[in-house]
Amino acid sequence: MEKFQAGMILGAVGDALGYRNGSWEWCLSGPQIQKELSALGGLEALKLDPDNWPWSDGAMMHMITAEALVTDYWCLEDLYRELVQLYVEAMVSLKGRISDPGTVEGCASLKPHNFLLAWHTPFNQRGSGFGAATKAMCVGMRYWQQERLDTLVEVSIETGRMTHNHPLGFLGSLCTALFASYALQGKPVVNWGRDFMKVIPMAADYCRKTIRHMAEYQEHWFYFEAKWQFYLEERGIEEEGKNKPLFPNSYDAEETDKVYKRWSSEGRGGRRGHDAPMIAYDALMAAGSNWGELCKRAMFHGGESSATGLIAGCLYGLLYGLSQVPAGLYQDLDKREKLEELGAKLYQAAAAEKVLRETRAGGASRSCCHRDQHNSECQDT
């Protein structure tokens, strides 16, 4: 349970650090950010509080998604309707704050009063941003077991498509949900990227079954896969057995910015749904359990540092917990108690579901309609 709680907390910490009330999120110079950090006394001197270190809208959307995942829903369609309602309400509460344009536009297309089509948004050419990826780690926490992979694929795609109906957007949400599940399964971090590429065909099969927008998806889908394939080749981990990533000998803040811009599609590292998870993943591989090194690479770079910080911080918490993180970064963090509560509830929901499945497998239960099973599964029992 502690790692679930740490994941929720450190996601918000990473977001707040990379955001710095908007000033660092919009700064394109990693050296400048790290110079300002040094003037503040360095990472260990920081004390994060709601007034001076608020979250961005990305962390708020992650928390809201987690809230829906721990509600008492009977089937996935009910979960989606709950998410639609919460996302629409969130846009009202976030008025006056700078928000991801893709999220705002996507939420405007949601239909909370349409029972059948509430979450069916149109294909959005501008929905390629990072916002779907930054709110999906909790999906991987809720469905982290290997046997729930099909559900993870569906929920992460539908959660992503609600606000970012574009392959660069919702494949990013699949990526971060998968990485969260891999962290909890104990898979070596270096294998995550290769394993992700093996799951993408499952996502394509699911999208074809829903008969929605495949013609519009095709070109962008290829771009997403190609970018990730090139990244894995650059790090030398594209094939089984290659388990030592290759990093440049010199990798200071200036060089990091150059690399991240090259991975991006518009010269702003972490702006899209393909490169925000990529930067967070790269930072995790390079840093290992070193929290300070992770922050330098994922939170204090030029570009969308709140997005990459949110993803990297959450995944770090799921891997390593809080023990190596300075307490000042999370003791007075905004909504810390709420995040701890959500982490505990995600753990309990996943654990309770596992017990129920094992009981059913042993023949001790013939109950129909477990709370988040598909309707077809209910009909089969």
Side-chain angles (χ1 to χ4, degrees):
M1 182 184 295
E2 289 79 8
K3 287 187 176 180
F4 280 73
Q5 293 174 315
M8 293 300 297
I9 290 170
L10 292 184
V13 168
D15 174 89
L17 288 173
Y19 184 56
R20 205 199 167 189
N21 218 356
S23 63
W24 284 352
E25 182 185 40
W26 291 97
C27 179
L28 295 178
S29 171
Q32 177 63 32
I33 291 172
Q34 294 186 24
K35 180 180 178 181
E36 292 179 18
L37 174 66
S38 180
L40 293 171
L43 183 62
E44 294 196 1
L46 299 181
K47 307 293 182 184
L48 271 56
D49 62 76
D51 293 330
N52 298 299
W53 295 90
W55 304 350
S56 77
D57 63 307
M60 292 296 296
M61 292 295 281
H62 186 232
M63 185 181 76
I64 289 167
T65 304
E67 287 176 344
L69 286 164
V70 298
T71 56
D72 198 23
Y73 51 90
W74 283 94
C75 61
L76 294 181
E77 287 78 8
D78 282 348
L79 168 63
Y80 302 152
R81 294 183 189 102
E82 179 70 16
L83 280 166
V84 166
Q85 190 66 44
L86 291 175
Y87 287 166
V88 170
E89 292 172 358
M91 289 301 99
V92 176
S93 67
L94 287 171
K95 279 185 177 178
R97 299 182 61 181
I98 298 174
S99 300
D100 169 40
T103 298
V104 174
E105 187 169 340
C107 286
S109 298
L110 294 170
K111 300 172 280 291
H113 303 298
N114 187 323
F115 186 79
L116 294 177
L117 302 175
W119 62 94
H120 288 214
T121 56
F123 172 75
N124 185 358
Q125 190 67 45
R126 295 187 293 274
S128 60
F130 59 81
T134 54
K135 62 186 171 75
M137 290 79 69
C138 56
V139 175
M141 295 163 68
R142 176 65 178 81
Y143 300 111
W144 68 269
Q145 296 103 334
Q146 175 62 33
E147 57 267 29
R148 298 316 312 274
L149 179 58
D150 286 344
T151 306
L152 182 152
V153 170
E154 175 180 340
V155 176
S156 62
I157 288 175
E158 293 298 354
T159 300
R161 290 203 290 195
M162 286 181 196
T163 54
H164 295 74
N165 197 352
H166 187 291
L168 266 64
F170 66 75
L171 288 178
S173 60
L174 170 64
C175 180
T176 58
L178 268 176
F179 284 0
S181 73
Y182 292 163
L184 292 168
Q185 289 173 28
K187 287 191 176 187
V189 177
V190 72
N191 294 346
W192 292 3
R194 288 198 300 268
D195 290 345
F196 170 47
M197 298 298 286
K198 297 173 185 175
V199 174
I200 290 179
M202 292 179 61
D205 288 343
Y206 174 74
C207 288
R208 278 191 289 269
K209 289 176 184 176
T210 63
I211 321 175
R212 290 168 59 193
H213 315 298
M214 287 308 293
E216 293 97 332
Y217 289 168
Q218 188 171 4
E219 177 184 350
H220 307 290
W221 197 291
F222 174 79
Y223 180 87
F224 185 100
E225 288 189 279
K227 277 287 191 178
W228 266 91
Q229 187 61 42
F230 291 152
Y231 164 74
L232 295 173
E233 291 173 1
E234 182 173 345
R235 286 290 176 255
I237 53 173
E238 75 280 13
E239 298 176 4
E240 298 290 342
K242 293 187 174 181
N243 295 323
K244 188 174 182 180
L246 305 175
F247 289 96
N249 292 327
S250 175
Y251 207 49
D252 58 16
E254 186 174 351
E255 182 63 26
T256 299
D257 282 355
K258 291 179 182 178
V259 171
Y260 291 175
K261 286 179 182 178
R262 189 173 73 247
W263 294 344
S264 74
S265 59
E266 58 177 51
R268 186 180 178 87
R271 182 64 182 164
R272 300 299 175 201
H274 72 281
D275 61 324
M278 190 180 291
I279 290 170
Y281 177 56
D282 197 68
L284 277 171
M285 278 201 300
S289 61
N290 187 326
W291 170 257
E293 184 66 18
L294 180 81
C295 290
K296 184 174 72 173
R297 292 170 180 262
M299 291 74 155
F300 305 135
H301 65 86
E304 294 292 342
S305 48
S306 68
T308 57
L310 171 54
I311 298 168
C314 182
L315 296 175
Y316 179 96
L318 297 177
L319 285 167
Y320 305 112
L322 293 170
S323 63
Q324 301 188 58
V325 179
L329 296 181
Y330 60 84
Q331 280 181 334
D332 299 318
L333 181 71
D334 190 18
K335 297 181 178 64
R336 175 190 164 186
E337 293 79 11
K338 178 66 173 178
L339 294 169
E340 288 180 337
E341 177 187 352
L342 286 171
K345 287 183 175 180
L346 286 166
Y347 169 82
Q348 291 161 358
E353 178 186 294
K354 186 174 189 296
V355 169
L356 182 56
R357 284 200 316 276
E358 290 173 348
T359 301
R360 284 179 169 180
S365 172
R366 303 298 179 194
S367 173
C368 179
C369 279
H370 171 49
R371 299 274 164 144
D372 79 334
Q373 296 293 317
H374 295 279
N375 289 334
S376 60
E377 291 176 330
C378 292
Q379 294 165 3
D380 290 339
T381 54

